[in-house]
Amino acid sequence: PGKCYRLYSEKDLADVMEGETAPEIQRCDLTTLIVTIKALGVKNVLSFDLMSVPSVEALSHGLESLYALGAMDDGAELTSLGKEMVYFPTDPRVSRMILAALDMESREETPSMVGKIIVGDVLTVAAALQGRNL
């Protein structure tokens, strides 16, 4: 007893759109997942049993990113820095930046930089919303 208005044709629904959305684990960056799994003591992330398995390329990219950040060593084990990064509820890139700022004593600028990375520039978002007449 309601109405549904589609913004696309039935032909587009059948031909263009997928029957279901791919699981998020197959669409997003896996660095946070990998560092968390490694912190739990899992030795081989590639063989970890997940309900929806991401591609090997996505897992490899996540491992490479963590290695580049200094969170993992050559043996794919967490470094002491990686173990510290796990405690931050942020993306590993952001937690690495926070830890580097603490080491360099750049404590005053870091919160605003992190905020802009996580949330984005509020003025830019506000201007974009005004342009859309929302």
Side-chain angles (χ1 to χ4, degrees):
K3 293 183 180 182
C4 174
Y5 296 97
R6 287 191 211 117
L7 300 176
Y8 48 86
S9 67
E10 277 192 58
K11 183 181 183 308
D12 284 344
L13 175 64
D15 297 340
V16 178
M17 296 182 184
E18 296 180 25
E20 58 186 56
T21 306
E24 185 174 357
I25 196 166
Q26 295 175 352
R27 296 180 281 128
C28 67
D29 180 38
L30 300 177
T31 54
T32 304
L33 172 72
I34 293 170
V35 78
T36 303
I37 289 173
K38 293 300 283 183
L40 293 172
V42 174
K43 297 288 182 194
N44 187 355
V45 176
L46 297 173
S47 66
F48 188 74
D49 190 24
L50 296 167
M51 288 179 63
S52 299
V53 182
S55 68
V56 174
E57 292 83 20
L59 286 168
S60 296
H61 177 71
L63 288 167
E64 290 170 7
S65 295
L66 290 170
Y67 179 78
L69 291 170
M72 299 190 89
D73 60 16
D74 292 335
E77 296 298 324
L78 283 180
T79 61
S80 58
L81 178 65
K83 290 174 184 172
E84 289 180 25
M85 291 168 62
V86 172
Y87 293 110
F88 290 90
T90 60
D91 180 85
R93 291 167 193 84
V94 175
S95 59
R96 177 66 174 103
M97 182 174 67
I98 293 169
L99 289 169
L102 292 173
D103 288 343
M104 296 185 321
E105 297 183 8
S106 303
R107 296 182 179 110
E108 293 176 14
E109 298 88 8
T110 304
S112 62
M113 288 188 298
V114 169
K116 283 189 175 193
I117 289 171
I118 294 174
V119 177
D121 188 1
V122 176
L123 296 175
T124 304
V125 173
L129 291 176
Q130 277 183 338
R132 295 179 66 197
N133 292 325
L134 295 176

